[in-house]
Amino acid sequence: EHSMHVEELMLRQSGGALDVPTVAASAVLAESEPMPADAEAVGGYDFNEGVQLDKLLTSFLRTGFQATNFALAVEEVRKMLSWKLSDEPIAEDENEELRDPAVRASTSCTIFLGVTSNLISAGTRETIRYLLQHKKVSCLVTTAGGVEEDLMKCLAPHYMGDFALKGAELRKKGINRIGNLLVPNRNYCLFEDWLTPLLDEMLDEQTRTQRIWSPSQMIAKMGKAIDNEASICYWAHKNDIPIFCPAITDGSIGDMLFFHSFKRPGLIVDLVQDIRGINRMAIDAKHTGMLIFGGGLVKHHICNANLMRNGADYAVFVNTGQEFDGSDSGAKPDEAVSWGKVRADATPVKVYADATLIMPLLVSQTFAQPDPACISIDSGSE
């Protein structure tokens, strides 16, 4: 029957002459199986409808490639925001407080936000600040560069540059390049002048009261001291949202701690307090979501905390890493499932794209929407 069908097709194409090789016709004109009834057709946005951002981004779901992954990421974040403990059956061993319907309805997903420092160097800093200002996330994990770049911008601006500017010429001028952004050395000098008295205060308090500072407590002190509403650290302090920075010495803050150790030795910064803090946040959470822009340390630190609870319930990764080199940055979410960092029944999403493009668009469709799902998130911090 199939052979007769191919011959009919060949006749139609050749006007009656059987001159198309059978093997070629069989390969090129092979029949398809029917598509599933729920299969969606590919389609993009029609600009005849005008420029409507929400409709454009909604259309990404059926556009394909990373546009579709973006739309799936939007859906995943919306799940994080809409979940309530009241959605779940009451466990047999549930404590009395969490049996109260009102408490269950107000218990939401614990959201771990991770960003690499370059995203605070860039204009995405304002998007991140919005999330902490409005208590949209439970904690932030970043690197020392992320903390200091936020604070430094309160003292002096970064500037636009170009990827092609020559390093040797910039070095002569005392200007540092971050991609196509420029940071004068003067900014770091201002930061040193601002931070050194705080380090003195920390050491004085340690000596007077035996207090040992953790990185998150140190960052909260900086946020209070900067007293600037443009700052991520300011809003984290004001809203009692912890900023975890396991590599606090890897940047200008580390340089300042190094110099300070010669001028006034003795200041101790204790990492163990913070690993207990972030891990307990994951363990104690009823549901968790991971939203991680970039890779490296911030991605692994959040994922590893969620290992302590046998995996996050929701996860969105946005980075340009590829998995061929075995890096954690490039790993697909399914690799995290194998480690117990994402739950086996989760629907995690990875978007392969520059986070400076994706972050504002993703927030515009989720956290910034006037929707009942987009509520303030309790950090659960003490």
Side-chain angles (χ1 to χ4, degrees), residues 174-221:
I175 297 173
N176 307 283
R177 182 170 68 83
I178 305 171
N180 59 353
L181 311 178
L182 299 175
V183 188
N185 267 347
R186 176 178 176 273
N187 295 22
Y188 290 93
C189 297
L190 291 171
F191 181 63
E192 179 182 3
D193 292 342
W194 180 83
L195 181 59
T196 299
L198 293 184
L199 299 179
D200 288 337
E201 290 177 15
M202 290 171 59
L203 179 56
D204 290 342
E205 185 170 344
Q206 176 186 305
T207 303
R208 187 174 65 255
T209 67
Q210 285 72 57
R211 175 180 185 174
I212 302 299
W213 296 82
S214 70
S216 63
Q217 293 167 349
M218 180 179 179
I219 295 164
K221 182 177 179 66

mmCIF file of all heavy atoms in Angstrom, residues 174-221:
data_model
loop_
_atom_site.group_PDB
_atom_site.id
_atom_site.type_symbol
_atom_site.label_atom_id
_atom_site.label_comp_id
_atom_site.label_asym_id
_atom_site.label_seq_id
_atom_site.Cartn_x
_atom_site.Cartn_y
_atom_site.Cartn_z
ATOM 1 N N GLY A 174 43.747 54.790 34.401
ATOM 2 C CA GLY A 174 43.134 54.425 35.682
ATOM 3 C C GLY A 174 41.656 54.127 35.565
ATOM 4 O O GLY A 174 40.871 54.447 36.460
ATOM 5 N N ILE A 175 41.280 53.492 34.437
ATOM 6 C CA ILE A 175 39.876 53.162 34.201
ATOM 7 C C ILE A 175 39.755 51.653 33.994
ATOM 8 O O ILE A 175 40.490 51.062 33.214
ATOM 9 C CB ILE A 175 39.327 53.912 32.971
ATOM 10 C CG1 ILE A 175 39.362 55.426 33.226
ATOM 11 C CG2 ILE A 175 37.899 53.465 32.652
ATOM 12 C CD1 ILE A 175 38.990 56.263 32.021
ATOM 13 N N ASN A 176 38.832 51.036 34.707
ATOM 14 C CA ASN A 176 38.615 49.589 34.630
ATOM 15 C C ASN A 176 37.416 49.292 33.738
ATOM 16 O O ASN A 176 36.415 50.014 33.773
ATOM 17 C CB ASN A 176 38.355 49.025 36.032
ATOM 18 C CG ASN A 176 39.449 49.424 37.013
ATOM 19 O OD1 ASN A 176 40.532 48.874 37.007
ATOM 20 N ND2 ASN A 176 39.156 50.411 37.860
ATOM 21 N N ARG A 177 37.524 48.221 32.944
ATOM 22 C CA ARG A 177 36.438 47.869 32.016
ATOM 23 C C ARG A 177 35.735 46.598 32.478
ATOM 24 O O ARG A 177 36.380 45.602 32.784
ATOM 25 C CB ARG A 177 36.986 47.676 30.601
ATOM 26 C CG ARG A 177 35.901 47.343 29.572
ATOM 27 C CD ARG A 177 36.443 47.405 28.145
ATOM 28 N NE ARG A 177 37.412 46.351 27.868
ATOM 29 C CZ ARG A 177 37.098 45.102 27.505
ATOM 30 N NH1 ARG A 177 35.822 44.751 27.379
ATOM 31 N NH2 ARG A 177 38.039 44.220 27.269
ATOM 32 N N ILE A 178 34.412 46.654 32.524
ATOM 33 C CA ILE A 178 33.562 45.484 32.753
ATOM 34 C C ILE A 178 32.723 45.315 31.496
ATOM 35 O O ILE A 178 31.670 45.947 31.349
ATOM 36 C CB ILE A 178 32.650 45.668 33.984
ATOM 37 C CG1 ILE A 178 33.455 46.004 35.233
ATOM 38 C CG2 ILE A 178 31.802 44.427 34.210
ATOM 39 C CD1 ILE A 178 32.600 46.397 36.424
ATOM 40 N N GLY A 179 33.182 44.511 30.553
ATOM 41 C CA GLY A 179 32.467 44.389 29.278
ATOM 42 C C GLY A 179 32.473 45.727 28.560
ATOM 43 O O GLY A 179 33.531 46.251 28.213
ATOM 44 N N ASN A 180 31.294 46.309 28.348
ATOM 45 C CA ASN A 180 31.225 47.641 27.740
ATOM 46 C C ASN A 180 30.842 48.720 28.758
ATOM 47 O O ASN A 180 30.260 49.747 28.417
ATOM 48 C CB ASN A 180 30.261 47.646 26.542
ATOM 49 C CG ASN A 180 28.843 47.241 26.914
ATOM 50 O OD1 ASN A 180 28.578 46.831 28.037
ATOM 51 N ND2 ASN A 180 27.935 47.336 25.953
ATOM 52 N N LEU A 181 31.188 48.451 30.029
ATOM 53 C CA LEU A 181 31.000 49.428 31.101
ATOM 54 C C LEU A 181 32.365 49.866 31.622
ATOM 55 O O LEU A 181 33.335 49.092 31.571
ATOM 56 C CB LEU A 181 30.186 48.829 32.247
ATOM 57 C CG LEU A 181 28.886 48.104 31.892
ATOM 58 C CD1 LEU A 181 28.244 47.536 33.142
ATOM 59 C CD2 LEU A 181 27.925 49.032 31.161
ATOM 60 N N LEU A 182 32.441 51.074 32.147
ATOM 61 C CA LEU A 182 33.706 51.613 32.653
ATOM 62 C C LEU A 182 33.559 52.061 34.108
ATOM 63 O O LEU A 182 32.556 52.695 34.472
ATOM 64 C CB LEU A 182 34.161 52.802 31.797
ATOM 65 C CG LEU A 182 34.423 52.510 30.313
ATOM 66 C CD1 LEU A 182 34.745 53.803 29.564
ATOM 67 C CD2 LEU A 182 35.532 51.486 30.139
ATOM 68 N N VAL A 183 34.584 51.739 34.915
ATOM 69 C CA VAL A 183 34.595 52.127 36.321
ATOM 70 C C VAL A 183 35.930 52.788 36.634
ATOM 71 O O VAL A 183 36.969 52.120 36.646
ATOM 72 C CB VAL A 183 34.398 50.908 37.251
ATOM 73 C CG1 VAL A 183 34.216 51.383 38.689
ATOM 74 C CG2 VAL A 183 33.218 50.057 36.808
ATOM 75 N N PRO A 184 35.949 54.101 36.875
ATOM 76 C CA PRO A 184 37.207 54.772 37.236
ATOM 77 C C PRO A 184 37.765 54.245 38.560
ATOM 78 O O PRO A 184 37.007 53.906 39.475
ATOM 79 C CB PRO A 184 36.805 56.249 37.367
ATOM 80 C CG PRO A 184 35.526 56.374 36.580
ATOM 81 C CD PRO A 184 34.832 55.059 36.750
ATOM 82 N N ASN A 185 39.085 54.203 38.663
ATOM 83 C CA ASN A 185 39.727 53.795 39.920
ATOM 84 C C ASN A 185 39.288 54.663 41.086
ATOM 85 O O ASN A 185 39.256 54.218 42.238
ATOM 86 C CB ASN A 185 41.254 53.883 39.788
ATOM 87 C CG ASN A 185 41.858 52.559 39.351
ATOM 88 O OD1 ASN A 185 41.204 51.516 39.378
ATOM 89 N ND2 ASN A 185 43.110 52.600 38.934
ATOM 90 N N ARG A 186 38.960 55.918 40.790
ATOM 91 C CA ARG A 186 38.512 56.840 41.835
ATOM 92 C C ARG A 186 37.331 56.256 42.616
ATOM 93 O O ARG A 186 37.225 56.472 43.828
ATOM 94 C CB ARG A 186 38.129 58.178 41.207
ATOM 95 C CG ARG A 186 37.566 59.190 42.199
ATOM 96 C CD ARG A 186 37.257 60.527 41.521
ATOM 97 N NE ARG A 186 36.625 61.447 42.467
ATOM 98 C CZ ARG A 186 35.313 61.501 42.699
ATOM 99 N NH1 ARG A 186 34.487 60.683 42.050
ATOM 100 N NH2 ARG A 186 34.815 62.374 43.568
ATOM 101 N N ASN A 187 36.461 55.536 41.930
ATOM 102 C CA ASN A 187 35.303 54.957 42.602
ATOM 103 C C ASN A 187 35.726 53.999 43.714
ATOM 104 O O ASN A 187 35.123 53.956 44.783
ATOM 105 C CB ASN A 187 34.411 54.224 41.596
ATOM 106 C CG ASN A 187 33.794 55.166 40.572
ATOM 107 O OD1 ASN A 187 34.306 56.259 40.337
ATOM 108 N ND2 ASN A 187 32.697 54.741 39.955
ATOM 109 N N TYR A 188 36.784 53.233 43.432
ATOM 110 C CA TYR A 188 37.275 52.286 44.430
ATOM 111 C C TYR A 188 37.938 53.014 45.596
ATOM 112 O O TYR A 188 37.864 52.562 46.742
ATOM 113 C CB TYR A 188 38.244 51.288 43.786
ATOM 114 C CG TYR A 188 37.549 50.325 42.861
ATOM 115 C CD1 TYR A 188 37.425 50.579 41.495
ATOM 116 C CD2 TYR A 188 36.978 49.150 43.369
ATOM 117 C CE1 TYR A 188 36.772 49.708 40.652
ATOM 118 C CE2 TYR A 188 36.315 48.267 42.524
ATOM 119 C CZ TYR A 188 36.209 48.545 41.169
ATOM 120 O OH TYR A 188 35.544 47.673 40.338
ATOM 121 N N CYS A 189 38.584 54.128 45.306
ATOM 122 C CA CYS A 189 39.176 54.941 46.371
ATOM 123 C C CYS A 189 38.093 55.511 47.280
ATOM 124 O O CYS A 189 38.230 55.517 48.518
ATOM 125 C CB CYS A 189 40.019 56.070 45.785
ATOM 126 S SG CYS A 189 41.449 55.502 44.835
ATOM 127 N N LEU A 190 37.005 55.974 46.672
ATOM 128 C CA LEU A 190 35.876 56.476 47.459
ATOM 129 C C LEU A 190 35.294 55.366 48.327
ATOM 130 O O LEU A 190 34.925 55.588 49.494
ATOM 131 C CB LEU A 190 34.792 57.039 46.532
ATOM 132 C CG LEU A 190 35.134 58.328 45.776
ATOM 133 C CD1 LEU A 190 34.050 58.632 44.742
ATOM 134 C CD2 LEU A 190 35.300 59.498 46.737
ATOM 135 N N PHE A 191 35.225 54.176 47.751
ATOM 136 C CA PHE A 191 34.672 53.038 48.489
ATOM 137 C C PHE A 191 35.566 52.681 49.674
ATOM 138 O O PHE A 191 35.077 52.393 50.769
ATOM 139 C CB PHE A 191 34.502 51.845 47.551
ATOM 140 C CG PHE A 191 33.916 50.630 48.214
ATOM 141 C CD1 PHE A 191 32.641 50.667 48.745
ATOM 142 C CD2 PHE A 191 34.639 49.449 48.304
ATOM 143 C CE1 PHE A 191 32.081 49.548 49.367
ATOM 144 C CE2 PHE A 191 34.102 48.322 48.919
ATOM 145 C CZ PHE A 191 32.821 48.371 49.445
ATOM 146 N N GLU A 192 36.873 52.706 49.467
ATOM 147 C CA GLU A 192 37.803 52.422 50.563
ATOM 148 C C GLU A 192 37.636 53.439 51.691
ATOM 149 O O GLU A 192 37.587 53.070 52.877
ATOM 150 C CB GLU A 192 39.248 52.436 50.070
ATOM 151 C CG GLU A 192 40.255 52.172 51.194
ATOM 152 C CD GLU A 192 41.698 52.222 50.739
ATOM 153 O OE1 GLU A 192 41.939 52.510 49.551
ATOM 154 O OE2 GLU A 192 42.584 51.968 51.576
ATOM 155 N N ASP A 193 37.534 54.713 51.323
ATOM 156 C CA ASP A 193 37.366 55.760 52.343
ATOM 157 C C ASP A 193 36.064 55.568 53.119
ATOM 158 O O ASP A 193 35.987 55.868 54.315
ATOM 159 C CB ASP A 193 37.370 57.144 51.681
ATOM 160 C CG ASP A 193 38.728 57.504 51.101
ATOM 161 O OD1 ASP A 193 39.734 56.876 51.486
ATOM 162 O OD2 ASP A 193 38.778 58.409 50.240
ATOM 163 N N TRP A 194 35.036 55.070 52.431
ATOM 164 C CA TRP A 194 33.737 54.866 53.066
ATOM 165 C C TRP A 194 33.723 53.604 53.927
ATOM 166 O O TRP A 194 33.154 53.584 55.028
ATOM 167 C CB TRP A 194 32.664 54.767 51.979
ATOM 168 C CG TRP A 194 31.272 54.547 52.514
ATOM 169 C CD1 TRP A 194 30.407 55.479 52.983
ATOM 170 C CD2 TRP A 194 30.608 53.269 52.653
ATOM 171 N NE1 TRP A 194 29.237 54.888 53.405
ATOM 172 C CE2 TRP A 194 29.334 53.538 53.204
ATOM 173 C CE3 TRP A 194 30.954 51.960 52.356
ATOM 174 C CZ2 TRP A 194 28.416 52.521 53.468
ATOM 175 C CZ3 TRP A 194 30.046 50.947 52.628
ATOM 176 C CH2 TRP A 194 28.783 51.235 53.177
ATOM 177 N N LEU A 195 34.367 52.523 53.453
ATOM 178 C CA LEU A 195 34.281 51.238 54.143
ATOM 179 C C LEU A 195 35.205 51.139 55.361
ATOM 180 O O LEU A 195 34.837 50.509 56.360
ATOM 181 C CB LEU A 195 34.604 50.101 53.159
ATOM 182 C CG LEU A 195 34.544 48.679 53.720
ATOM 183 C CD1 LEU A 195 33.148 48.368 54.264
ATOM 184 C CD2 LEU A 195 34.939 47.654 52.651
ATOM 185 N N THR A 196 36.382 51.743 55.297
ATOM 186 C CA THR A 196 37.360 51.568 56.378
ATOM 187 C C THR A 196 36.808 51.929 57.750
ATOM 188 O O THR A 196 36.998 51.168 58.721
ATOM 189 C CB THR A 196 38.647 52.364 56.073
ATOM 190 O OG1 THR A 196 39.215 51.874 54.849
ATOM 191 C CG2 THR A 196 39.665 52.204 57.183
ATOM 192 N N PRO A 197 36.106 53.055 57.924
ATOM 193 C CA PRO A 197 35.532 53.353 59.250
ATOM 194 C C PRO A 197 34.537 52.290 59.715
ATOM 195 O O PRO A 197 34.436 52.023 60.929
ATOM 196 C CB PRO A 197 34.848 54.711 59.047
ATOM 197 C CG PRO A 197 35.539 55.313 57.870
ATOM 198 C CD PRO A 197 35.892 54.173 56.983
ATOM 199 N N LEU A 198 33.806 51.665 58.783
ATOM 200 C CA LEU A 198 32.876 50.602 59.164
ATOM 201 C C LEU A 198 33.623 49.382 59.680
ATOM 202 O O LEU A 198 33.183 48.720 60.631
ATOM 203 C CB LEU A 198 31.984 50.212 57.978
ATOM 204 C CG LEU A 198 30.975 51.247 57.478
ATOM 205 C CD1 LEU A 198 30.126 50.641 56.366
ATOM 206 C CD2 LEU A 198 30.088 51.736 58.605
ATOM 207 N N LEU A 199 34.734 49.054 59.027
ATOM 208 C CA LEU A 199 35.548 47.939 59.505
ATOM 209 C C LEU A 199 36.090 48.234 60.901
ATOM 210 O O LEU A 199 36.163 47.330 61.752
ATOM 211 C CB LEU A 199 36.688 47.653 58.524
ATOM 212 C CG LEU A 199 36.280 47.244 57.103
ATOM 213 C CD1 LEU A 199 37.518 47.009 56.247
ATOM 214 C CD2 LEU A 199 35.399 45.994 57.115
ATOM 215 N N ASP A 200 36.472 49.489 61.141
ATOM 216 C CA ASP A 200 36.921 49.885 62.486
ATOM 217 C C ASP A 200 35.802 49.681 63.511
ATOM 218 O O ASP A 200 36.024 49.157 64.609
ATOM 219 C CB ASP A 200 37.355 51.357 62.503
ATOM 220 C CG ASP A 200 38.674 51.601 61.785
ATOM 221 O OD1 ASP A 200 39.468 50.639 61.646
ATOM 222 O OD2 ASP A 200 38.910 52.746 61.349
ATOM 223 N N GLU A 201 34.581 50.082 63.139
ATOM 224 C CA GLU A 201 33.436 49.917 64.039
ATOM 225 C C GLU A 201 33.173 48.447 64.326
ATOM 226 O O GLU A 201 32.868 48.066 65.478
ATOM 227 C CB GLU A 201 32.189 50.553 63.429
ATOM 228 C CG GLU A 201 32.216 52.071 63.378
ATOM 229 C CD GLU A 201 30.977 52.635 62.697
ATOM 230 O OE1 GLU A 201 29.985 51.861 62.540
ATOM 231 O OE2 GLU A 201 30.980 53.821 62.327
ATOM 232 N N MET A 202 33.280 47.612 63.296
ATOM 233 C CA MET A 202 33.067 46.184 63.482
ATOM 234 C C MET A 202 34.093 45.589 64.439
ATOM 235 O O MET A 202 33.750 44.796 65.327
ATOM 236 C CB MET A 202 33.119 45.465 62.129
ATOM 237 C CG MET A 202 31.943 45.766 61.218
ATOM 238 S SD MET A 202 32.175 45.103 59.542
ATOM 239 C CE MET A 202 32.370 43.357 59.891
ATOM 240 N N LEU A 203 35.352 45.968 64.258
ATOM 241 C CA LEU A 203 36.405 45.462 65.143
ATOM 242 C C LEU A 203 36.212 45.970 66.573
ATOM 243 O O LEU A 203 36.388 45.214 67.540
ATOM 244 C CB LEU A 203 37.781 45.867 64.614
ATOM 245 C CG LEU A 203 38.989 45.417 65.447
ATOM 246 C CD1 LEU A 203 38.990 43.905 65.651
ATOM 247 C CD2 LEU A 203 40.283 45.878 64.779
ATOM 248 N N ASP A 204 35.808 47.231 66.699
ATOM 249 C CA ASP A 204 35.563 47.793 68.033
ATOM 250 C C ASP A 204 34.450 47.016 68.744
ATOM 251 O O ASP A 204 34.564 46.695 69.939
ATOM 252 C CB ASP A 204 35.188 49.268 67.940
ATOM 253 C CG ASP A 204 36.359 50.152 67.525
ATOM 254 O OD1 ASP A 204 37.513 49.696 67.643
ATOM 255 O OD2 ASP A 204 36.109 51.285 67.061
ATOM 256 N N GLU A 205 33.366 46.717 68.019
ATOM 257 C CA GLU A 205 32.253 45.984 68.622
ATOM 258 C C GLU A 205 32.668 44.557 68.963
ATOM 259 O O GLU A 205 32.277 44.008 70.006
ATOM 260 C CB GLU A 205 31.040 45.980 67.691
ATOM 261 C CG GLU A 205 29.818 45.344 68.330
ATOM 262 C CD GLU A 205 28.548 45.533 67.521
ATOM 263 O OE1 GLU A 205 28.528 46.396 66.619
ATOM 264 O OE2 GLU A 205 27.569 44.810 67.806
ATOM 265 N N GLN A 206 33.451 43.944 68.079
ATOM 266 C CA GLN A 206 33.952 42.598 68.350
ATOM 267 C C GLN A 206 34.793 42.577 69.631
ATOM 268 O O GLN A 206 34.649 41.686 70.480
ATOM 269 C CB GLN A 206 34.803 42.112 67.174
ATOM 270 C CG GLN A 206 35.462 40.758 67.386
ATOM 271 C CD GLN A 206 36.405 40.414 66.243
ATOM 272 O OE1 GLN A 206 36.014 40.409 65.084
ATOM 273 N NE2 GLN A 206 37.655 40.131 66.579
ATOM 274 N N THR A 207 35.652 43.562 69.774
ATOM 275 C CA THR A 207 36.522 43.645 70.957
ATOM 276 C C THR A 207 35.715 43.914 72.227
ATOM 277 O O THR A 207 35.971 43.319 73.281
ATOM 278 C CB THR A 207 37.565 44.766 70.759
ATOM 279 O OG1 THR A 207 38.312 44.515 69.565
ATOM 280 C CG2 THR A 207 38.505 44.843 71.948
ATOM 281 N N ARG A 208 34.703 44.771 72.093
ATOM 282 C CA ARG A 208 33.919 45.189 73.260
ATOM 283 C C ARG A 208 32.936 44.116 73.716
ATOM 284 O O ARG A 208 32.739 43.897 74.911
ATOM 285 C CB ARG A 208 33.170 46.480 72.926
ATOM 286 C CG ARG A 208 32.440 47.121 74.095
ATOM 287 C CD ARG A 208 31.839 48.462 73.718
ATOM 288 N NE ARG A 208 30.795 48.352 72.706
ATOM 289 C CZ ARG A 208 30.927 48.692 71.413
ATOM 290 N NH1 ARG A 208 32.082 49.173 70.974
ATOM 291 N NH2 ARG A 208 29.920 48.556 70.578
ATOM 292 N N THR A 209 32.309 43.410 72.761
ATOM 293 C CA THR A 209 31.211 42.497 73.107
ATOM 294 C C THR A 209 31.484 41.050 72.729
ATOM 295 O O THR A 209 30.645 40.187 72.966
ATOM 296 C CB THR A 209 29.918 42.938 72.395
ATOM 297 O OG1 THR A 209 30.075 42.758 70.979
ATOM 298 C CG2 THR A 209 29.603 44.401 72.680
ATOM 299 N N GLN A 210 32.629 40.787 72.101
ATOM 300 C CA GLN A 210 32.961 39.450 71.581
ATOM 301 C C GLN A 210 32.033 39.014 70.445
ATOM 302 O O GLN A 210 31.911 37.823 70.147
ATOM 303 C CB GLN A 210 32.929 38.378 72.697
ATOM 304 C CG GLN A 210 34.134 38.410 73.648
ATOM 305 C CD GLN A 210 34.111 39.606 74.579
ATOM 306 O OE1 GLN A 210 33.150 39.795 75.317
ATOM 307 N NE2 GLN A 210 35.156 40.416 74.540
ATOM 308 N N ARG A 211 31.376 39.959 69.818
ATOM 309 C CA ARG A 211 30.541 39.617 68.672
ATOM 310 C C ARG A 211 31.418 39.195 67.504
ATOM 311 O O ARG A 211 32.394 39.853 67.170
ATOM 312 C CB ARG A 211 29.687 40.817 68.252
ATOM 313 C CG ARG A 211 28.889 40.536 66.982
ATOM 314 C CD ARG A 211 28.048 41.711 66.553
ATOM 315 N NE ARG A 211 27.222 41.352 65.397
ATOM 316 C CZ ARG A 211 26.289 42.134 64.867
ATOM 317 N NH1 ARG A 211 26.058 43.339 65.398
ATOM 318 N NH2 ARG A 211 25.586 41.731 63.828
ATOM 319 N N ILE A 212 31.028 38.098 66.846
ATOM 320 C CA ILE A 212 31.711 37.653 65.627
ATOM 321 C C ILE A 212 30.762 37.889 64.452
ATOM 322 O O ILE A 212 29.650 37.362 64.424
ATOM 323 C CB ILE A 212 32.102 36.163 65.705
ATOM 324 C CG1 ILE A 212 33.004 35.915 66.925
ATOM 325 C CG2 ILE A 212 32.801 35.731 64.422
ATOM 326 C CD1 ILE A 212 34.303 36.682 66.905
ATOM 327 N N TRP A 213 31.210 38.649 63.487
ATOM 328 C CA TRP A 213 30.368 39.046 62.361
ATOM 329 C C TRP A 213 30.320 37.951 61.296
ATOM 330 O O TRP A 213 31.327 37.336 60.978
ATOM 331 C CB TRP A 213 30.899 40.332 61.725
ATOM 332 C CG TRP A 213 30.862 41.523 62.625
ATOM 333 C CD1 TRP A 213 31.768 41.864 63.590
ATOM 334 C CD2 TRP A 213 29.842 42.528 62.647
ATOM 335 N NE1 TRP A 213 31.388 43.020 64.218
ATOM 336 C CE2 TRP A 213 30.211 43.459 63.663
ATOM 337 C CE3 TRP A 213 28.683 42.746 61.921
ATOM 338 C CZ2 TRP A 213 29.444 44.577 63.955
ATOM 339 C CZ3 TRP A 213 27.910 43.869 62.214
ATOM 340 C CH2 TRP A 213 28.286 44.768 63.214
ATOM 341 N N SER A 214 29.160 37.763 60.720
ATOM 342 C CA SER A 214 29.031 36.924 59.517
ATOM 343 C C SER A 214 29.027 37.845 58.301
ATOM 344 O O SER A 214 28.780 39.053 58.435
ATOM 345 C CB SER A 214 27.733 36.115 59.562
ATOM 346 O OG SER A 214 26.609 36.980 59.384
ATOM 347 N N PRO A 215 29.266 37.318 57.096
ATOM 348 C CA PRO A 215 29.194 38.172 55.906
ATOM 349 C C PRO A 215 27.832 38.858 55.745
ATOM 350 O O PRO A 215 27.770 40.042 55.410
ATOM 351 C CB PRO A 215 29.470 37.200 54.761
ATOM 352 C CG PRO A 215 30.343 36.153 55.367
ATOM 353 C CD PRO A 215 29.811 35.979 56.771
ATOM 354 N N SER A 216 26.736 38.133 56.009
ATOM 355 C CA SER A 216 25.408 38.743 55.828
ATOM 356 C C SER A 216 25.180 39.872 56.836
ATOM 357 O O SER A 216 24.548 40.885 56.512
ATOM 358 C CB SER A 216 24.306 37.686 55.948
ATOM 359 O OG SER A 216 24.276 37.111 57.236
ATOM 360 N N GLN A 217 25.689 39.719 58.065
ATOM 361 C CA GLN A 217 25.573 40.793 59.060
ATOM 362 C C GLN A 217 26.424 41.991 58.671
ATOM 363 O O GLN A 217 26.029 43.145 58.848
ATOM 364 C CB GLN A 217 25.995 40.264 60.433
ATOM 365 C CG GLN A 217 25.056 39.229 61.005
ATOM 366 C CD GLN A 217 25.656 38.505 62.197
ATOM 367 O OE1 GLN A 217 26.843 38.625 62.497
ATOM 368 N NE2 GLN A 217 24.832 37.719 62.879
ATOM 369 N N MET A 218 27.598 41.702 58.119
ATOM 370 C CA MET A 218 28.487 42.756 57.642
ATOM 371 C C MET A 218 27.815 43.557 56.515
ATOM 372 O O MET A 218 27.842 44.794 56.493
ATOM 373 C CB MET A 218 29.781 42.111 57.146
ATOM 374 C CG MET A 218 30.827 43.047 56.615
ATOM 375 S SD MET A 218 32.277 42.069 56.100
ATOM 376 C CE MET A 218 33.332 43.388 55.479
ATOM 377 N N ILE A 219 27.168 42.838 55.599
ATOM 378 C CA ILE A 219 26.491 43.490 54.470
ATOM 379 C C ILE A 219 25.289 44.293 54.960
ATOM 380 O O ILE A 219 25.013 45.392 54.458
ATOM 381 C CB ILE A 219 26.082 42.440 53.416
ATOM 382 C CG1 ILE A 219 27.324 41.798 52.808
ATOM 383 C CG2 ILE A 219 25.220 43.073 52.319
ATOM 384 C CD1 ILE A 219 27.054 40.509 52.055
ATOM 385 N N ALA A 220 24.563 43.763 55.951
ATOM 386 C CA ALA A 220 23.429 44.504 56.515
ATOM 387 C C ALA A 220 23.906 45.814 57.148
ATOM 388 O O ALA A 220 23.245 46.855 57.020
ATOM 389 C CB ALA A 220 22.706 43.642 57.546
ATOM 390 N N LYS A 221 25.045 45.770 57.808
ATOM 391 C CA LYS A 221 25.615 46.993 58.399
ATOM 392 C C LYS A 221 25.948 48.005 57.304
ATOM 393 O O LYS A 221 25.691 49.207 57.449
ATOM 394 C CB LYS A 221 26.864 46.649 59.216
ATOM 395 C CG LYS A 221 27.513 47.851 59.907
ATOM 396 C CD LYS A 221 28.692 47.441 60.765
ATOM 397 C CE LYS A 221 29.345 48.650 61.437
ATOM 398 N NZ LYS A 221 28.471 49.308 62.418
#
